[in-house]
Amino acid sequence: MGLIGKIRDAGRVAEPAPPQPEQGLPAAGLGGSVQVRHVDAGSCNGCEIEVGQAFGPTYDAERHGVRLVASPRHADVLTVTGPVTVNMAGPLRATYEAMPRPGLVVAVGDCARDCGVFAGGYGVLGPVSDVVPVDVQVPGCPPEPAAIVAALRGVSGR
Amino acid sequence: MIAWITAVAQAVLVAAVAPLLIGFMRAVRARLEGRAGGRLVQPWRDLRKLLRKEPIIPADAGMIFTAAPLVLMATSVLVAAAAPYLSTGGPLSGVADLIVVVGLLLLGTVALALAGLDTGTAFGGMGASREMTIAALVEPTLLLAVFALSTRVGSTDLGAIVAAGAADPAAVFTPASALAAAALAIATLAEAGRLPVDNPATHLELTMVHEAMVLEYAGRDLALVEWASAMRLTILLGLLANLFIPWGVASSPHPAALAVGAAVFVVKLAVLGGLLAAGEVFVAKLRLFRVPELLAGSFVLGLLAVVASAVLA
């Protein structure tokens, strides 16, 4: 039995969760439930791989009550990666405005914070904070999945 | 009076258990995928948070968009109260029969499909069109599968069917019942939007059916839609359980019998939900144009069940 055998051999892949982070946003009032909408505003996709890992089996952000959703209307948190390009500034703003309040923005990666290596590029408008208000920043190029999970746990409070 | 209290208790139980069932199914799936998974009460946390958030009504949406979550929730609560889950003697027996239950479920489906159209977005309309295609193929199967059981009892009243099954369990295990169970199981998967008909965890708009219709809902409205959808899954799995595994359903309004009925009902739901979640790990979503083939197959199973129950009885 192929798949059953693999499920048995793999067992539990998830690594033990680190202790709950100290910093939190009590004002968010989300009570251990965070729905995340992800926007790539012009990233090189390095950060996307790490965000994907954060929701994969090893880091498993879902055990902390964090879930990716398909619509900004369902989301509490917007994760944004990459420097905001000229073409993505409008869609990013529209996505932020489509979220119900209170909505938080997490800027993931160095590019989202200060444009990183893309600073000064002809297609780059600026960092994420120039377009939408940023509540949490995750440094790194790219940031480790564990750092992304820790930032999202800080928002969810779990 | 006691029958009404039982009906209310039933509705409250289904409403309370439905999000836990979703949490349990997610946990089973996470375990099989090697993940740790969320807590059992996570869907309840999600609902609590959504109920506190503001609903957003899109600029182009009208009254139907606002009314659909309430209609969906109301039909779910009504079915949860009327169908025989804890006790076979409901307050509406004689009225709340199979056709009413299927009709109420369809009313909820249609309300949500209209809401999907009402948003005026491409994905909402696409989801609504797909949902109606599936619903048109599923509802006859739902009716037909239970008709196969009702010929034995001589009534379409669900309470009477379950009571007859509980009184004489040997009569439940017939070839006709097996066919009807298979047909109803497939219809349940399609109606509740589970794999292989619809993927409840999809993020790709082009593959969505149910999700595509609710993309525009936010806050309180979204909480109602998600809660009612979880209740519909519970309602359908509960019907499947009580029609084909009729043990434990209270036939008298005695509180102890009702408590046992509630416990057995939760266990049956957990077993069916666990099987469904485990099965979903092994299948992929069917291509949309293959779905009618699956549903036509389930309709044929239902038809064979009716024929078998008429010929072999």
Side-chain angles (χ1 to χ4, degrees):
Chain A
M1 293 299 278
L3 193 51
I4 292 177
K6 277 177 188 147
I7 287 171
R8 205 184 45 233
D9 291 346
R12 195 170 127 158
V13 186
E15 286 181 359
Q20 198 173 332
E22 285 299 315
Q23 86 280 10
L25 295 171
L30 298 175
S33 157
V34 171
Q35 259 77 301
V36 177
R37 179 69 189 157
H38 180 71
V39 172
D40 175 348
S43 153
C44 68
N45 270 10
C47 291
E48 268 64 36
I49 293 171
E50 307 299 323
V51 170
Q53 286 301 312
F55 289 90
T58 312
Y59 294 94
D60 194 20
E62 199 178 315
R63 67 182 142 182
H64 307 303
V66 182
R67 204 154 52 84
L68 281 172
V69 291
S71 166
R73 298 265 195 235
H74 303 182
D76 314 297
V77 168
L78 199 62
T79 55
V80 189
T81 55
V84 182
T85 56
V86 173
N87 287 337
M88 276 307 286
L92 176 60
R93 215 172 279 127
T95 308
Y96 178 72
E97 277 156 16
M99 284 167 69
R101 300 287 169 266
L104 301 173
V105 177
V106 178
V108 176
D110 284 344
C111 295
R113 296 171 67 216
D114 56 11
C115 297
V117 294
F118 300 107
Y122 67 89
V124 173
L125 189 78
V128 174
S129 53
D130 280 6
V131 182
V132 291
V134 172
D135 298 282
V136 181
Q137 293 186 331
V138 187
C141 181
E144 281 180 40
I148 299 171
V149 173
L152 291 172
R153 286 181 75 180
V155 176
S156 87
R158 283 182 63 213
Chain B
M1 188 59 203
I2 288 172
W4 286 102
I5 294 170
T6 312
V8 171
Q10 224 174 245
V12 170
L13 179 73
V14 170
V17 161
L20 296 177
L21 177 69
I22 300 289
F24 177 66
M25 288 173 66
R26 281 194 193 143
V28 169
R29 193 182 168 90
R31 189 67 199 79
L32 291 175
E33 286 176 347
R35 294 186 290 123
R39 302 271 175 83
L40 215 55
V41 294
Q42 187 61 40
W44 262 119
R45 282 210 187 94
D46 296 351
L47 286 180
R48 188 185 61 185
K49 179 208 64 191
L50 283 173
L51 283 169
R52 284 200 295 242
K53 292 196 88 164
E54 57 162 8
I56 296 179
I57 296 163
D60 300 324
M63 196 195 75
I64 293 172
F65 182 83
T66 334
L70 298 173
V71 173
L72 189 67
M73 194 65 192
T75 54
S76 299
V77 170
L78 208 55
V79 173
Y85 292 124
L86 302 187
S87 149
T88 54
L92 298 170
S93 60
V95 180
D97 69 346
L98 164 69
I99 295 159
V100 171
V101 165
V102 172
L104 282 172
L105 287 176
L106 186 61
L107 183 63
T109 310
V110 170
L112 203 59
L114 286 177
L117 283 175
D118 199 23
T119 58
T121 61
F123 290 129
M126 192 185 71
S129 127
R130 289 176 177 180
E131 180 80 353
M132 285 293 88
T133 310
I134 292 171
L137 293 165
V138 166
E139 305 301 333
T141 310
L142 275 182
L143 285 173
L144 213 55
V146 189
F147 279 152
L149 303 177
S150 66
T151 50
R152 193 183 67 224
V153 184
S155 160
T156 54
D157 188 76
L158 288 170
I161 296 173
V162 173
D168 184 13
V172 176
F173 298 101
T174 59
S177 285
L179 288 167
L184 197 62
I186 296 173
T188 299
L189 293 182
E191 179 79 15
R194 308 299 304 191
L195 285 171
V197 176
D198 184 11
N199 182 0
T202 185
H203 293 158
L204 185 63
E205 287 88 349
L206 289 176
T207 65
M208 289 176 174
V209 182
H210 170 82
E211 281 281 309
M213 295 186 295
V214 305
L215 279 178
E216 287 288 329
Y217 278 111
R220 261 199 318 273
D221 292 339
L222 179 65
L224 277 184
V225 171
E226 300 242 304
W227 196 357
S229 302
M231 281 177 72
R232 284 164 71 95
L233 178 65
T234 311
I235 283 165
L236 287 161
L237 285 182
L239 268 188
L240 196 63
N242 277 1
L243 285 173
F244 297 102
I245 325 165
W247 292 291
V249 185
S251 49
S252 67
H254 195 270
L258 291 179
V260 171
V264 171
F265 176 62
V266 170
V267 170
K268 280 183 200 168
L269 272 182
V271 171
L272 279 183
L275 282 175
L276 175 55
E280 282 186 330
V281 173
F282 292 87
V283 294
K285 184 179 174 298
L286 273 182
R287 213 154 54 91
L288 188 68
F289 295 110
R290 299 278 310 274
V291 168
E293 291 173 24
L294 177 76
L295 297 180
S298 78
F299 183 78
V300 170
L301 285 176
L303 198 64
L304 286 175
V306 171
V307 172
S309 68
V311 172
L312 300 179

